[in-house]
Amino acid sequence: MGTINTLSTYLERRVSDLVRLKKEGKKVVGYVPGGFMPEELVWASGAIPIGLNKGGNYEAVLKSTEFLPRFFDTFSRSQIGYWALEDPLYRLPDLVVVPSTDKSIETIASCWELWTETKVFKLGVPHNVESDHAFQYYLEGLHLLKEELEKLTGNSITEAKLRKEIDLSNRMRLLLRKISQMRKSERPPISGKDFIKLNHASFYTDRDYMLTNLESLSKELSEKDGKKGPRIFLIGSSMAEGDYKVYDLLESAGADVVVEDFSEGIRPYWGEIEISDDLILALADYYFKKRTPLPALFRPSTEERSAFLLKLAKDFSVNGIIWYSMLYRESYDIEGVYFGRQAEKKGFPFIKIVTDYNPAENFSLQTRISAFIESITVR
Amino acid sequence: MLVLGIDVGAATAKAAIYGNGKILSTAIIPTGFDIIKTANEVTLLVGKRIGCSIDDIDFSVSTGYGRNIVPFANKTITEITCHAKGVHFLFPEARTIIDIGGQDSKVIRIDKSGNVISFSMNDKCAAGTGRFFEVMARVFDLEISEIGPLAIQSKDPCQISSTCTVFAETEVISLLARGRSREDLLGGIHKAMVLRIISMAKMLGYEKQVVLTGGVAKNVGVKKFIEEEIKMKVMVPEEPQITGALGAALLAEAEFSKQLTSGEK
């Protein structure tokens, strides 16, 4: 596939491009891509946003034991691991923004604060999405972030710049949604792995370059048919860049992911920001209140969110749902049990699998995934 | 038509030959260091019992932890699916399988056709597997076959709070030093292990008929404590270790028949 190959080649040199841009005076803002950090503000300030979303490497998990107790969320602990392993992407940020969604993600912020010289901005994310008080708190956080970014870059975030960035990010959401929806086809033109990799690429590519490539990919895919096989909905807390084991195991069992939902590792694309007179308010409205699907299950939006995910399962004609848990990410473990029962009530086969990014788990994951695919194939 | 199912588990390798609607032969041997050699040996043995060799087999399915490296298997299928088919053949009313093997344990819910509805598996921790009992038998200097009968003699099983095999061993030694009887300690050990398995079954949901399989199903203490915990009678096959291999043989037959019908064979 032309565009996917072009993007892969581009990504190989993107980090060195970023190093060069930083040397030329550009500021780099890292963030945890959990869906609550408006990238638009960073672009509008003249800085370059990069989503810090690596995972899947057990070396980073082991390295993190120098800083954290062993019993802690695999994805979150890996972040300080990558920094300690001197991953070039993790050494770039002048500022790291961490939306504090739960204690695991909050600890990513603490690690940056305790062990690195990089400045950290904690963006508070209250859990009650329906409360006006919570909304005002998040909105205030965005105003503070705007000030922080202006201080970092020396540029002011004007309405015109922000409006332009919102338009561009809405365009990216629209294109990702269009490509995602092509997977409703009996023969999806793009594999689950390629789709998630597109999302991951979008966290640190140049956004104009990404938009151009998404446009051409969307055209390419509209003329293509892929493989037919068992259709999987993959859900979980985190799908990190590099953590593609589940996709590979599904592919070797003849199945594929046709739709997914993660808190960290995917760009929310089901809706767009509605532009209004107050653009910061518009950002808060989208990122905190109106985003679809609503923020993570353990917030008060549980029922609406479950209903939305089950509707997705129906719309994409999935044969089964896999809940992909990080070891010791308790909040999602708890919700996985609840959501599994909702899914089974609606007739969707469901399985929860757990990872610690440890190669020793490969065989047991293979057994679980193969058995699950065998069980849904005979239904 | 002669078909073979071979289940290479972590502790034992099992094989079953099926033909004309009957189980014709079964064999069980310990899994050695060399899995390919073990697979060849158990196949030789299961065939020898009815005077046939691998050349007489029309189709074979391998399963279990060593399934991917059985050189002569025509197809590999996971042990979850194979246990479901094997148990369904022996107990058509079965809806829940509790399988406790040498190094893993699983709970499988099946439908009236023997298809898997859902399953849960523990293959990460020795507590809740046959390995747990091997360690405990060693503490008491007993054979593995002796601990179950002693456990059911307990009138007041000890509370074993450790959920880790290593710590449970330490806890048992300290309770021994405090003078608790062997029966009560073994009763407590069995209860602790059963509670782990049953919590997995409760999480998944279980319904009757419940069938207990795997090497640990031979332990009368485990069967008794499971029945007490779920307040339901538990069925145990005459040879509880063979259900995976039997299911593999049944699936081999189905696959071979399908290929014959479609003209692939």
Side-chain angles (χ1 to χ4, degrees), chain A residues 209-227:
Chain A
Y209 184 85
M210 193 68 202
L211 279 167
T212 309
N213 278 278
L214 286 176
E215 299 270 10
S216 60
L217 181 63
S218 155
K219 281 188 198 121
E220 268 174 42
L221 295 174
S222 62
E223 293 160 7
K224 188 176 174 272
D225 268 341
K227 285 185 207 154

Side-chain angles (χ1 to χ4, degrees), chain B residues 137-239:
Chain B
R138 200 183 56 207
V139 173
F140 293 95
D141 199 19
L142 290 168
E143 290 297 317
I144 193 83
S145 58
E146 294 175 300
I147 59 171
L150 282 169
I152 59 176
Q153 287 173 32
S154 167
K155 297 276 182 290
D156 179 22
C158 297
Q159 181 95 31
I160 305 290
S161 52
S162 299
T163 51
C164 161
T165 304
V166 177
F167 292 133
E169 186 179 359
T170 314
E171 193 176 347
V172 166
I173 291 167
S174 94
L175 285 165
L176 260 176
R178 278 193 245 157
R180 293 300 302 258
S181 78
R182 203 166 59 160
E183 288 76 8
D184 285 350
L185 278 163
L186 283 167
I189 287 163
H190 279 67
K191 235 179 150 165
M193 194 265 206
V194 161
L195 285 174
R196 281 186 72 100
I197 305 281
I198 295 308
S199 69
M200 199 158 76
K202 284 182 177 166
M203 188 71 99
L204 192 70
Y206 62 88
E207 55 184 313
K208 67 175 181 184
Q209 195 176 52
V210 176
V211 178
L212 180 62
T213 62
V216 175
K218 292 179 177 172
N219 179 319
V220 290
V222 172
K223 179 176 181 289
K224 175 182 176 270
F225 287 115
I226 289 180
E227 285 178 334
E228 278 179 15
E229 196 57 38
I230 64 172
K231 299 176 179 56
M232 213 180 266
K233 191 168 165 49
V234 169
M235 311 303 290
V236 177
E238 199 177 319
E239 179 39 85

Side-chain angles (χ1 to χ4, degrees), chain A residues 26 38 41 50 67 102 104 125 149 154-156 208 227 240 271 273 281 293 299 304 349 355 374 377:
Chain A
K26 278 275 185 189
L41 279 175
I50 55 168
F67 310 95
D102 68 3
S104 301
V125 183
L149 290 166
N155 302 325
S156 99
D208 293 336
K227 285 185 207 154
I273 299 168
L281 187 69
R299 293 158 201 284
E304 284 170 71
T355 186
E374 285 165 5
T377 309

Side-chain angles (χ1 to χ4, degrees), chain B residues 97-110:
Chain B
I97 303 164
I98 298 175
D99 179 76
I100 312 173
Q103 285 185 25
D104 73 10
S105 52
K106 38 197 166 294
V107 180
I108 309 168
R109 281 169 56 211
I110 61 174

Side-chain angles (χ1 to χ4, degrees), chain B residues 47-139:
Chain B
K48 200 173 160 190
R49 287 178 177 165
I50 53 165
C52 78
S53 76
I54 187 74
D55 296 334
D56 302 312
I57 301 293
D58 293 303
F59 201 90
S60 61
V61 164
S62 62
T63 189
Y65 123 101
R67 65 183 180 276
N68 293 327
I69 45 174
V70 175
F72 49 81
N74 299 99
K75 192 173 179 179
T76 59
I77 298 178
T78 63
E79 54 271 40
I80 314 279
T81 305
C82 291
H83 277 295
K85 286 292 171 199
V87 167
H88 174 71
F89 179 81
L90 299 172
F91 299 96
E93 297 304 312
R95 295 294 177 268
T96 307
I97 303 164
I98 298 175
D99 179 76
I100 312 173
Q103 285 185 25
D104 73 10
S105 52
K106 38 197 166 294
V107 180
I108 309 168
R109 281 169 56 211
I110 61 174
D111 66 15
K112 60 182 181 192
S113 306
N115 296 321
V116 175
I117 297 173
S118 57
F119 63 92
S120 185
M121 215 176 158
N122 159 38
D123 53 4
K124 293 199 172 118
C125 172
T129 73
R131 182 79 188 126
F132 180 72
F133 284 127
E134 282 174 19
V135 171
M136 293 306 155
R138 200 183 56 207
V139 173

Side-chain angles (χ1 to χ4, degrees), chain A residues 95-362:
Chain A
L95 172 75
V96 169
V97 182
V98 183
S100 310
T101 49
D102 68 3
K103 83 170 166 57
S104 301
I105 301 299
E106 165 92 26
T107 302
I108 298 176
S110 303
C111 283
W112 279 98
E113 277 177 333
L114 291 169
W115 307 110
T116 80
E117 299 299 319
T118 310
K119 199 166 186 331
V120 177
F121 183 93
K122 288 182 185 173
L123 178 62
V125 183
H127 284 193
N128 191 349
V129 284
E130 284 152 10
S131 133
D132 187 54
H133 174 69
F135 179 74
Q136 292 303 330
Y137 179 84
Y138 179 76
L139 177 65
E140 178 62 17
L142 291 193
H143 280 291
L144 293 172
L145 176 62
K146 178 175 173 280
E147 282 171 27
E148 187 73 36
L149 290 166
E150 287 176 334
K151 207 162 77 187
L152 176 78
T153 59
N155 302 325
S156 99
I157 299 176
T158 63
E159 196 184 314
K161 285 182 198 165
L162 191 52
R163 188 177 291 270
K164 181 192 150 209
E165 293 305 334
I166 291 175
D167 280 341
L168 289 171
S169 68
N170 273 346
R171 182 78 195 136
M172 193 175 296
R173 290 183 187 101
L174 185 77
L175 285 165
L176 282 169
R177 184 163 74 241
K178 194 174 162 192
I179 293 170
S180 176
Q181 286 184 326
M182 289 181 193
R183 299 181 295 172
K184 285 181 180 171
S185 149
E186 199 180 33
R187 292 179 179 277
I190 183 166
S191 69
K193 188 175 171 182
D194 277 343
F195 184 74
I196 197 75
K197 282 172 108 177
L198 271 186
N199 273 273
H200 293 164
S202 79
F203 291 136
Y204 62 101
T205 45
D206 176 82
R207 53 139 165 46
D208 293 336
Y209 184 85
M210 193 68 202
L211 279 167
T212 309
N213 278 278
L214 286 176
E215 299 270 10
S216 60
L217 181 63
S218 155
K219 281 188 198 121
E220 268 174 42
L221 295 174
S222 62
E223 293 160 7
K224 188 176 174 272
D225 268 341
K227 285 185 207 154
K228 190 178 165 185
R231 304 165 65 82
I232 300 300
F233 190 172
L234 190 60
I235 309 181
S237 59
S238 327
M239 179 47 71
E241 184 187 356
D243 179 25
Y244 304 124
K245 195 156 43 183
V246 174
Y247 289 90
D248 293 337
L249 289 171
L250 280 168
E251 200 183 318
S252 63
D256 201 3
V257 174
V258 293
V259 61
E260 59 293 285
D261 183 72
F262 293 99
S263 291
E264 294 91 36
I266 193 156
R267 189 179 284 276
Y269 56 78
W270 292 108
E272 277 100 45
I273 299 168
E274 291 169 28
I275 292 189
S276 62
D277 291 342
D278 184 340
L279 294 179
I280 304 289
L281 187 69
L283 287 176
D285 205 39
Y286 172 77
Y287 278 94
F288 187 73
K289 225 186 218 174
K290 291 187 183 153
R291 200 181 78 202
T292 310
L294 288 158
L297 279 162
F298 51 86
R299 293 158 201 284
S301 53
T302 301
E303 284 178 21
E304 284 170 71
R305 185 173 156 81
S306 287
F308 180 79
L309 295 177
L310 291 170
K311 185 176 178 310
L312 279 186
K314 190 166 170 266
D315 292 349
F316 281 76
S317 315
V318 307
N319 303 109
I321 301 175
I322 297 181
W323 187 279
Y324 184 53
S325 270
M326 298 289 118
L327 191 64
Y328 307 122
R329 186 81 180 261
E330 293 92 347
S331 50
Y332 284 83
D333 267 350
I334 295 161
E335 301 308 331
V337 176
Y338 169 80
F339 182 73
R341 291 190 186 157
Q342 302 302 310
E344 284 184 335
K345 268 189 211 162
K346 294 280 178 191
F348 291 107
F350 177 91
I351 188 178
K352 185 158 92 85
I353 53 176
V354 183
T355 186
D356 194 29
Y357 297 158
N358 187 340
E361 74 198 13
N362 290 2

